[in-house]
Amino acid sequence: MKLSRAWLSSLALLGLVASGAPAQAQHSRGGAPGDFDFYVLALSWSPGFCELEDGGRGRAREQCAPGANLGFVVHGLWPQNERGYPTDCGPSGRSPSRMAMSEAEGLFPSEGLARYQWRKHGTCTGSSPSDYFADVRRAREKIVIPPPLRDSGREQVWTPIDLERAFVAANPGLRTDMMSVACRRGVLQEVRICFTRDLRSFRTCQEVDRSGCRAPDFKVNASP
């Protein structure tokens, strides 16, 4: 049976094309700061990032150095809409002060990533840099990492739903439709958890949930 182009496009949006890749949310560059529906806290699995993206060289040398032994680290706190998300909402020359950057200490694996997350996502929140980083800390402190995933020194194999259920068990109020797990090439990349705008509770997020890993299982690799 030959499918129409419009029908194929609909399948692609649902992530049902033959590649099996999840549909990607569309982002809009710019926009009115503060005009968004909820937050997504993205926690990157550092060993997976180092294997997939950097190999322990270049811009993440410190994060991926032998002996760093990092597990989950903050990738970012992202303003999100029910469909899509805004980016780069502030003046291009605006940069956080040293005082604001002190709020980010210990949250991100590098200062460079913290500054990048402010420019791309923080400028869309309507908050000052200091308040944005304080909100990142509030969100991160609300998340309990499941005990089996606190050890980055040994390789594990998980299914997406089992990893989500582990987070649900460790975090009262969280459900599997309030989060997603990202993977690539059979390796865990990160966990994305949805919060209300006031960061007081978790909330459902259909687009984020649908964008999760579709592999039957993946490797949660150990630190180098």
Side-chain angles (χ1 to χ4, degrees):
M1 178 178 66
K2 186 175 181 179
L3 298 176
S4 69
R5 180 172 297 179
W7 181 241
L8 285 171
S9 297
S10 297
L11 290 178
L13 287 171
L14 291 171
L16 297 176
V17 291
S19 66
Q24 295 298 311
Q26 297 296 312
H27 74 274
S28 56
R29 191 176 182 89
D35 185 13
F36 64 97
D37 296 326
F38 61 97
Y39 277 115
V40 174
L41 176 67
L43 298 177
S44 175
W45 179 249
S46 192
F49 164 79
C50 293
E51 177 176 324
L52 291 169
E53 304 292 343
D54 192 82
R57 301 180 297 276
R59 60 191 174 93
R61 187 174 301 168
E62 183 177 349
Q63 178 183 354
C64 300
N69 204 33
L70 297 177
F72 281 105
V73 296
V74 172
H75 180 179
L77 182 66
W78 305 336
Q80 190 90 12
N81 293 314
E82 298 296 347
R83 297 190 65 179
Y85 56 93
T87 65
D88 304 282
C89 299
S92 58
R94 189 179 181 189
S95 182
S97 66
R98 293 307 311 174
M99 183 176 294
M101 290 305 302
S102 68
E103 295 282 352
E105 289 180 4
L107 285 172
F108 298 87
S110 70
E111 183 177 302
L113 178 60
R115 290 183 178 277
Y116 175 78
Q117 290 296 310
W118 161 252
R119 289 194 304 272
K120 186 172 182 179
H121 299 287
T123 54
C124 297
T125 64
S127 300
S128 69
S130 292
D131 288 343
Y132 171 68
F133 291 129
D135 283 343
V136 176
R137 189 175 301 278
R138 284 177 60 206
R140 175 62 187 89
E141 289 177 349
K142 289 179 178 290
I143 299 300
V144 176
I145 303 300
L149 293 163
R150 294 175 193 166
D151 178 11
S152 60
R154 62 185 181 88
E155 184 174 303
Q156 306 174 48
V157 176
W158 288 75
T159 65
I161 189 60
D162 282 344
L163 193 141
E164 288 188 2
R165 287 169 176 164
F167 269 86
V168 166
N171 293 274
L174 182 63
R175 301 198 313 257
T176 59
D177 62 349
M178 300 172 171
M179 63 178 298
S180 68
V181 174
C183 67
R184 185 156 63 89
R185 300 205 308 265
V187 175
L188 174 66
Q189 286 183 291
E190 63 187 25
V191 172
R192 298 165 184 165
I193 299 173
C194 301
F195 282 91
T196 55
R197 281 186 54 127
D198 60 11
L199 297 174
R200 292 182 179 177
S201 58
F202 307 116
R203 59 103 77 194
T204 57
C205 45
Q206 293 184 2
E207 191 173 67
V208 175
D209 182 34
R210 289 197 304 265
S211 71
C213 176
R214 296 184 182 276
D217 56 43
F218 49 76
K219 178 176 65 173
V220 180
N221 48 353
S223 294

